[in-house]
Amino acid sequence: MSTSDFIFNGRAARVVFGAGSRVHIERELLALRAQKALILFGQEQLALGTAVADQLGSHAAGVFDRATMHVPAELVTEARAVATSLGADCLIAVGGGSAVGLAKAIALESGLPIIALPTTYAGSEMTPIFGVTEAGLKRTGTDLRVLPKTVIYDPELTVTLPVALSVTSGINAIAHAAEGLYSRDANPLTSLMAEEGISALSRSLPRIVSRPDDLSARSDALYGAWLCGAVLGSVGMALHHKLCHTLGGSFNLPHAPTHTIVLPHALAYNAEAAPDAMKRIARAVGHDNAAQGLYELSRANGAPIALKEIGMLESQLDRAADIACNNAYWNPRPLEREAIRTLLQRAFEGSAPQT
Ligand code: NAD
């Protein structure tokens, strides 16, 4: 292997990993020199969020229990006002990308430190990327103030994640690492993390499908999600993420299933332009072809494989191809509108990727 010049953006989060590690929340709060946390979560995580508040006792300033998808701007304004009125000096996000996203949006202006307790494999807790939706448009950006200071990865919190969501959330994480391997900012460290992350997830997801309460499989998956999220936080993403942002943002398709369906096709599109990345992805999924390997991983574990299964209409494919080709992200293979349209057709129908 030859090592050429690179820049590695190490992100500074402290990670506390392990089954039951949520018992350390108070210790971690105090380590940040904080005293009163506002605990943020969505309605579906009510029991867990309340338990965290109870556990913190007088270190809990209060709870905000309405975190929701897409981080609406009105909700951010409301939650920020709650944090101020309660005198919170720290935010604790309990949940998936939606709870972490709300904490990030509050931190963006308030500068409050975030402790994250992730309950999905989305990986937002490892990135300085934020997004807020206003008047139907999602504004995204990158700011180090929103990067959580501490992440407590407790696999016990993921045991309740339904199997279907575990699979698509896990493949959503794999997508970060796969694109990280051919990112123009890829470097030896992020590539190590990416390959290890893909490998941990592709081995653990089938185990979770056969036994959702297998804590060892849940630990491996969360470890993989951490690594994949760290890759997302360090290097730029390409065609696959652009396609998923287009499909989610303009056609309201669900986040993780969309990533799951599109990934094999985006990899097939880039295969010839990024042969080394493909080799590493293939090795990590234990197949001789990266795109086909991921397609089979999805199918074998009951994930959706066709955009038509998750609400896309065939009449929307032309517009999706146009949007995806506008303001395109950097990609190893130039974007060719007709080839992207063909890719979307195959993803729509659930055909195997064109390898
Ligand atoms: P989410 O937080 O909305 O969770 C998805 C669903 O799973 C919700 O219904 C939630 O209630 C449920 N859930 C979560 N944990 C559970 C558990 N342990 N048990 C049972 N149910 C559980 O979504 P997500 O998939 O975690 O994240 C997707 C969102 O995060 C998107 O909006 C995406 O844009 C954002 N995201 C942002 C970044 C970033 O770097 N900023 C990275 C990845 C994802």
Side-chain angles (χ1 to χ4, degrees):
M1 181 190 117
S2 68
T3 306
S4 50
D5 299 354
F6 63 86
I7 294 175
F8 171 63
N9 283 308
R11 304 299 189 196
R14 170 177 161 89
V15 168
V16 178
F17 192 99
S21 55
R22 64 189 179 284
V23 295
H24 301 303
I25 302 175
E26 182 178 345
R27 180 191 77 194
E28 295 304 320
L29 179 90
L30 297 174
L32 291 176
R33 299 185 191 291
Q35 289 293 329
K36 286 179 81 178
L38 175 63
I39 297 128
L40 306 154
F41 49 90
Q43 272 297 306
E44 291 177 50
Q45 276 70 55
L46 188 65
L48 176 60
T50 311
V52 168
D54 290 346
Q55 182 187 328
L56 278 175
S58 62
H59 290 302
V63 302
F64 188 90
D65 62 8
R66 282 180 290 126
T68 177
M69 267 204 318
H70 305 312
V71 193
E74 317 78 70
L75 202 70
V76 177
T77 307
E78 208 185 312
R80 197 183 293 125
V82 170
T84 307
S85 71
L86 293 172
D89 58 5
C90 175
L91 303 167
I92 298 183
V94 183
S98 298
V100 175
L102 177 62
K104 285 176 161 181
I106 301 172
L108 184 63
E109 285 182 22
S110 67
L112 290 175
I114 301 172
I115 298 177
L117 277 84
T119 62
T120 71
Y121 307 130
S124 177
E125 66 283 353
M126 277 293 134
T127 85
I129 306 162
F130 62 87
V132 177
T133 303
E134 192 157 20
L137 278 182
K138 192 162 185 177
R139 175 174 65 91
T140 59
T142 297
D143 193 310
L144 281 173
R145 275 179 305 179
V146 311
L147 181 71
K149 296 279 182 290
T150 304
V151 180
I152 300 178
Y153 281 114
D154 184 342
E156 287 176 3
L157 304 185
T158 63
V159 168
T160 51
L161 192 62
V163 164
L165 196 49
S166 301
V167 173
T168 54
S169 187
I171 297 176
N172 178 193
I174 289 178
H176 309 328
E179 289 227 298
L181 279 162
Y182 56 63
S183 168
R184 67 179 151 172
D185 323 310
N187 60 69
L189 268 90
T190 53
S191 296
L192 267 181
M193 291 193 285
E195 192 174 339
E196 173 77 354
I198 297 172
S199 170
L201 277 159
S202 59
R203 278 182 283 115
S204 54
L205 295 178
R207 291 163 61 210
I208 289 173
V209 171
S210 52
R211 252 199 63 201
D213 64 347
D214 178 345
L215 205 51
S216 150
R218 290 288 185 182
S219 296
D220 291 351
L222 199 56
Y223 165 67
W226 162 29
L227 295 174
C228 295
V231 173
L232 175 69
S234 292
V235 300
M237 296 288 117
L239 171 68
H240 168 78
H241 281 73
K242 174 69 182 184
L243 285 171
C244 292
H245 290 166
T246 301
L247 295 171
S250 304
F251 303 98
N252 212 21
L253 297 193
H255 182 82
T258 304
H259 272 268
T260 302
I261 294 164
V262 171
L263 184 61
H265 301 280
L267 294 184
Y269 182 92
N270 282 331
E272 282 187 17
D276 290 342
M278 295 304 151
K279 251 186 242 158
R280 296 186 76 155
I281 297 165
R283 188 163 65 198
V285 297
H287 197 283
D288 56 12
N289 182 283
Q292 187 65 28
L294 280 161
Y295 182 72
E296 287 174 17
L297 182 72
S298 295
R299 253 201 352 194
N301 290 289
I305 51 162
L307 292 176
K308 65 181 177 192
E309 288 175 65
I310 61 165
M312 187 86 183
L313 302 176
E314 193 162 14
S315 57
Q316 294 170 323
L317 295 177
D318 277 322
R319 198 157 73 84
D322 290 340
I323 301 172
C325 291
N326 273 339
N327 304 316
Y329 301 172
W330 178 88
N331 190 60
R333 171 179 165 191
L335 296 202
E336 295 155 26
R337 202 281 181 187
E338 278 323 297
I340 298 293
R341 176 66 180 74
T342 305
L343 178 167
L344 285 170
Q345 186 73 35
R346 295 183 82 88
F348 175 78
E349 286 165 4
S351 315
Q354 200 159 30
T355 52

